[in-house]
Amino acid sequence: MSAAAVAKVQEVREISRVERIGAHSHIRGLGLDDNREPRNVSQGLVGQLKARKAMGVVLDMIKEEKIAGRSVLLAGEPGTGKTAIAMALAQALGSDTPFTCMSGSEIYSLEMSKTEALTQAIRKSIGVRIKEESEIIEGEVVEFQIERPVTGTGSKVGKLTMRTTDMETVYDLGNKMIEALLKEKVLAGDVVTIDVASGKVNKIGRSFTRSRDYDASGPQTRFVQCPEGELQKRKEVVHTVTLHEIDVINSRTHGFLALFSGDTGEIKSEVRDQINCKVSEWREEGKAELLAGVLFIDEVHMLDIECFSFLNRALENEIAPIVITATNRGVTNIRGTNYKSPHGVPLDLLDRMVIIMTQPYSENELEQILKIRAEEEDCEISKDALSILAKISKSTSLRYGIQLITTAHLVCRKRKATEVTVDDVKKVYRLFLDEERSTQLMKEYQKEYMFDHYAMTDAENEEDKRDDSMEVQNDSTSST
Ligand SMILES: Nc1ncnc2c1ncn2[C@@H]1O[C@H](COP(=O)(O)OP(=O)(O)OP(=O)(O)O)[C@@H](O)[C@H]1O
Ligand SMILES: [Mg+2]
């Protein structure tokens, strides 16, 4: 049983070592300097200075923790880095601030209603910082003695001598404590903390005073100073959990394991009401603080009118996260209605948002982004090939260019070379079509395919031009 458990742990470790390269894995932050001015190329981001500077302001807003219920819309053409900038914000915020990422279409799940999905997403984005005081013993181990019974069975007893720079104390140890210390492989010279209430042992590192004891110490050995003052201290521990996590743990129908499976289903509103009450009690007593995180809704035009009006209301709530949305749509139908609106978002919600526009990239910027991507994918590429790729990206799209890096790299490896050249790029450009060439080809050869759809839509388009009111009807039938 225990062998199986050990094997499993190792398996998990293996997985974490494999690093996958995703669309935004080259992004490490917003790339701002200390004055919150964007550097042209930094932390994986290139150009798009205005949007990044604006996002820096949003970042400050969130970090100050004073503002909740604000909302931002990132609008711009496809491939201009909206999702990338949102991911950069998540990185810049760090792991302490809750950041929930969802796509607009995620709410149309069969398992729960749209508003429930949105409520869960909102509550996932609000953190509760719970403060807990605990008593710990912190010091350097001087001596650790165990007396084993002669018979070999029965419980062990022992003594632990600990010291700080100011004092030294001997503690008597019971069986359980000895096991805990042995499990952590505590030796004389280690600096450890022991939680008095739970008996949990935590090894901080080795004391500097003992650094000369061994000639060979591994690179992972951490040397720390021997602690000062009293051995026994009070320490404040802060846990951050999200409201959603508290909801799930307290909803009787789904145990806390639902947190891992993600299969939480609907949560009753009574549970939420109770938790809200409890949390505000904690806040009054000073035990907990609320922390407004970020809810990022990508492709926000996929939400429908019901969700939008729900959001309107939710943003005005006292406990609301900062909502960041992104869309690449211009003036289009609001889903679920026949009304048109900028970005497919109703005007009353737009009115509550500040809008950040992203601009198309210049060829130079495209080249920089492609260079960063090539580095991320461990792909060596010649300067000429890179500038050809940038030209291709300018006339087609950045995403197509990024995809050509991977494919050209494969072609290059096939001919056992290390550097991607212009020829490799040309080859894959011929092998893989971009959207425009593909559309062109479809138009030319549509007759040979099944369901020659283009002929139909062309005819329909003609009709549409003639009759404007028809258009609205066509749109609404195709969207449902
Ligand atoms: N300024 C930038 N610096 C570095 N990489 C970028 C930048 N802008 C975009 N990218 C990269 O280009 C690709 C496309 O960008 P992204 O997905 O952010 O576009 P988008 O605006 O969200 O497009 P869509 O509207 O289609 O969702 C991603 O791999 C992204 O990481
Ligand atoms: Mg996107």
Side-chain angles (χ1 to χ4, degrees):
M1 176 68 200
S2 69
V6 169
K8 252 195 191 148
V9 168
Q10 272 174 349
E11 222 172 66
V12 172
R13 280 203 189 132
E14 283 295 317
I15 292 170
S16 67
R17 210 184 300 147
V18 179
E19 267 189 42
R20 279 182 184 278
I21 297 170
H24 307 290
S25 52
H26 58 288
I27 289 160
R28 315 251 136 70
L30 281 169
L32 306 174
D33 63 16
D34 294 341
N35 297 327
R36 289 276 184 261
E37 287 294 327
R39 297 194 193 94
N40 197 17
V41 182
S42 174
Q43 294 190 310
L45 277 181
V46 179
Q48 210 63 267
L49 299 178
K50 263 194 196 157
R52 278 164 59 200
K53 188 167 176 181
M55 235 8 171
V57 178
V58 175
L59 174 70
D60 282 341
M61 238 162 70
I62 301 166
K63 282 217 163 141
E64 290 211 341
E65 291 181 18
K66 296 234 168 64
I67 296 166
R70 295 299 163 90
S71 130
V72 178
L73 173 68
L74 280 161
E77 293 170 28
T80 46
K82 298 179 294 295
T83 311
I85 289 176
M87 293 298 126
L89 177 74
Q91 299 267 359
L93 279 171
S95 56
D96 253 5
T97 313
F99 189 98
T100 317
C101 205
M102 66 182 282
S103 167
S105 45
E106 257 173 58
I107 55 157
Y108 302 102
S109 116
L110 291 176
E111 270 163 32
M112 53 177 104
S113 66
K114 291 178 271 189
T115 47
E116 171 70 18
L118 274 179
T119 311
Q120 288 198 5
I122 287 175
R123 288 177 78 89
K124 273 181 202 167
S125 324
I126 300 167
V128 186
R129 230 187 246 149
I130 303 169
K131 281 183 229 149
E132 206 179 49
E133 270 203 351
S134 63
E135 192 114 333
I136 58 159
I137 300 172
E138 184 178 37
E140 180 189 325
V141 177
V142 182
E143 202 176 12
F144 176 31
Q145 273 180 328
I146 310 170
E147 285 165 26
R148 289 197 169 78
V150 195
T151 53
T153 54
S155 55
K156 298 173 214 139
V157 286
K159 280 196 166 55
L160 179 72
T161 317
M162 303 254 296
R163 74 174 186 108
T164 63
T165 48
D166 304 318
M167 62 188 291
E168 190 171 309
T169 312
V170 182
Y171 295 95
D172 281 326
L173 298 174
N175 205 19
K176 220 172 125 195
M177 249 349 277
I178 294 178
E179 295 285 320
L181 288 163
L182 286 176
K183 207 173 128 224
E184 289 294 319
K185 299 200 179 79
V186 171
L187 299 172
D190 284 340
V191 176
V192 296
T193 62
I194 302 171
D195 191 297
V196 175
S198 66
K200 199 172 170 292
V201 178
N202 198 0
K203 212 154 109 174
I204 299 173
R206 283 194 70 76
S207 168
F208 271 117
T209 49
R210 299 285 193 119
S211 63
R212 299 259 173 74
D213 285 11
Y214 304 99
D215 293 338
S217 54
Q220 60 279 70
T221 319
R222 226 176 83 197
F223 287 103
V224 292
Q225 294 290 357
C226 178
E228 293 170 357
E230 297 267 331
L231 265 168
Q232 206 142 341
K233 288 172 195 151
R234 289 193 144 270
K235 204 166 203 179
E236 196 170 77
V237 191
V238 180
H239 308 277
T240 312
V241 287
T242 67
L243 275 181
H244 177 68
E245 282 165 344
I246 304 181
D247 288 352
V248 173
I249 290 168
N250 287 292
S251 77
R252 234 165 275 144
T253 41
H254 326 278
F256 72 94
L257 285 177
L259 273 180
F260 300 104
S261 64
D263 171 26
T264 51
E266 301 221 353
I267 288 167
K268 289 206 189 79
S269 64
E270 299 97 74
V271 175
R272 291 208 171 106
D273 290 343
Q274 271 180 5
I275 286 164
N276 287 352
C277 273
K278 195 83 215 158
V279 170
S280 55
E281 241 172 63
W282 287 343
R283 278 170 75 192
E284 272 166 31
E285 291 166 16
K287 274 197 224 157
E289 271 172 35
L290 275 183
L291 179 68
V294 179
L295 169 60
F296 173 52
I297 309 178
D298 210 351
E299 319 284 335
V300 69
H301 51 262
M302 289 304 291
L303 297 184
D304 64 6
I305 185 79
E306 291 159 31
C307 299
F308 286 129
S309 68
F310 179 82
L311 268 185
N312 270 347
R313 189 69 199 84
L315 282 176
E316 278 164 19
N317 206 324
E318 191 201 343
I319 340 177
I322 290 180
V323 178
I324 295 181
T325 57
T327 177
N328 55 18
R329 299 297 155 97
V331 178
T332 179
N333 271 9
I334 302 168
R335 200 175 158 144
T337 68
N338 286 336
Y339 296 105
K340 285 194 189 300
S341 177
H343 313 295
V345 177
L347 288 176
D348 52 350
L349 183 56
L350 270 184
D351 195 30
R352 289 173 167 82
M353 294 175 154
V354 285
I355 301 178
I356 300 177
M357 293 297 261
T358 52
Q359 308 295 338
Y361 293 112
S362 71
E363 202 176 304
N364 194 7
E365 284 165 336
L366 288 172
E367 192 169 328
Q368 306 250 34
I369 295 175
L370 290 165
K371 192 167 162 223
I372 292 173
R373 283 301 299 182
E375 276 164 19
E376 181 71 19
E377 295 186 23
D378 273 336
C379 162
E380 275 178 44
I381 183 163
S382 74
K383 220 173 165 331
D384 297 342
L386 201 62
S387 53
I388 293 259
L389 263 184
K391 279 208 175 66
I392 293 175
S393 305
K394 182 81 190 165
S395 60
T396 60
S397 79
L398 173 58
R399 284 210 174 89
Y400 178 67
I402 289 176
Q403 268 148 357
L404 285 193
I405 297 180
T406 324
T407 42
H409 191 206
L410 281 174
V411 169
C412 157
R413 279 220 301 253
K414 187 123 187 258
R415 60 179 180 87
K416 299 216 165 50
T418 51
E419 197 185 59
V420 174
T421 60
V422 175
D423 282 342
D424 294 328
V425 174
K426 277 187 183 157
K427 198 163 179 181
V428 287
Y429 181 73
R430 264 180 260 125
L431 275 177
F432 299 101
L433 301 187
D434 56 281
E435 181 261 358
E436 206 170 301
R437 276 185 293 159
S438 161
T439 313
Q440 195 55 43
L441 216 72
M442 285 300 116
K443 278 190 175 159
E444 279 168 28
Y445 295 102
Q446 48 178 302
K447 291 277 165 349
E448 277 135 60
Y449 287 86
M450 277 171 68
F451 313 121
D452 42 354
H453 215 75
Y454 249 102
M456 252 176 64
T457 40
D458 267 1
E460 263 175 17
N461 281 346
E462 288 299 303
E463 221 168 86
D464 277 359
K465 269 178 207 157
R466 263 177 263 132
D467 188 350
D468 232 18
S469 64
M470 274 290 286
E471 190 189 4
V472 175
Q473 272 179 7
N474 271 341
D475 261 30
S476 65
T477 45
S478 65
S479 74
T480 43

